[in-house]
Amino acid sequence: MPNSRRDDFDSDITRARDLIGLGQSIGTMTNGLVDSTDLYRAALVQGIAAWDRYVHGVVLDRAVEIMLGRRPIGSVSRIGLSLNSVAELINASDPAARELAARSFFAERLTTETYQRPDDVAAALAMVGVKSIWSTAFKDARQAKVAIGVIVERRNKIVHQCDCDPVTPGTVTSLDPADATDALEVIRETVHSIDPYCK
C-alpha cells in the first residue's frame, strides 16, 4: 500500500496556503484596488479538495488490499464493481496484473463518490476497516466533526453559490486571510489526527 497519502495531502495543503499568500501579496501590491479575496476562497476550496483526495486515497489503498486478501473485510457496505471488472480480477495472469486491475477498477468506481462530510468519511473508512474514526482519533468527536463540517459547508457555498450573501443581494460573504488560514489548519489537523488509524 502506498504510504504517501499524508505526504500528498501536505503538498496539497501547502498549495492552498500559497494561494492565501498570493492573495495577500496581490492585495498589498495593488493597494487594495484588486479584490484578492477570491484567492482565499480558492484556498479554502483547495483545502477541502485535499481532504477529499486524502480520504479517497486511503479508501482506494485499503479496498485494493482487501480485494487482494491482504487485509480483512471492513463493514458490510459495498463499493460495487461490475461483473466485467470482477471477471478481469479473477482471471488476471499474475499478482501484479491483479493488483493493477484492482487499483484501476476501484479508482474508477470511487470517482463517483465525495468524501468531505464527516459522516460520509466515517462510512467510507468503516467500509475499508477503519471503524469509528471520529471517536477513535479525537477526544471530542462531535467538535471535530462540526469543525470540518463548517468548512465543508463554506466550500459548498463558494462552489455552488459563488459565496453570495443571501442577506445582502449582490454581495459576497466576507472571507479574510486569517479565516482561510484557520480553515486550512483545521483540515490539516484533522488529517494528521486520523492518518495513524488509516495505515
Side-chain angles (χ1 to χ4, degrees), residues 139-188:
K139 289 180 184 173
D140 187 340
R142 184 183 173 287
Q143 181 181 10
K145 289 169 70 174
V146 166
I148 199 79
V150 165
I151 299 166
V152 169
E153 287 302 318
R154 183 64 187 267
R155 174 260 178 209
N156 290 345
K157 188 175 176 198
I158 292 168
V159 300
H160 297 298
Q161 301 169 352
C162 294
D163 211 19
C164 289
D165 185 345
V167 176
T168 314
T171 63
V172 294
T173 305
S174 66
L175 181 63
D176 63 37
D179 291 337
T181 300
D182 289 348
L184 295 183
E185 184 58 19
V186 166
I187 298 166
R188 189 197 69 78

Side-chain angles (χ1 to χ4, degrees), residues 81-174:
L81 293 179
S82 70
L83 290 176
N84 235 9
S85 300
V86 173
E88 249 185 85
L89 285 167
I90 291 170
N91 296 317
S93 57
D94 58 61
R98 185 173 294 111
E99 183 164 353
L100 183 60
R103 186 161 295 282
S104 173
F105 295 142
F106 281 125
E108 182 181 340
R109 168 58 187 89
L110 291 173
T111 61
T112 63
E113 304 296 330
T114 302
Y115 301 130
Q116 298 172 1
R117 295 182 188 277
D119 290 341
D120 295 338
V121 168
L125 292 176
M127 179 175 60
V128 293
V130 183
K131 309 276 189 209
S132 306
I133 190 61
W134 296 103
S135 59
T136 302
F138 299 94
K139 289 180 184 173
D140 187 340
R142 184 183 173 287
Q143 181 181 10
K145 289 169 70 174
V146 166
I148 199 79
V150 165
I151 299 166
V152 169
E153 287 302 318
R154 183 64 187 267
R155 174 260 178 209
N156 290 345
K157 188 175 176 198
I158 292 168
V159 300
H160 297 298
Q161 301 169 352
C162 294
D163 211 19
C164 289
D165 185 345
V167 176
T168 314
T171 63
V172 294
T173 305
S174 66

Side-chain angles (χ1 to χ4, degrees), residues 55-68:
V55 177
H56 267 90
V58 169
V59 171
L60 172 62
D61 294 343
R62 291 177 71 96
V64 169
E65 295 222 338
I66 290 167
M67 176 60 75
L68 298 176

Side-chain angles (χ1 to χ4, degrees), residues 32 44 46 50 63 87 96 102 124 165:
L44 194 144
Q46 171 70 16
D165 185 345

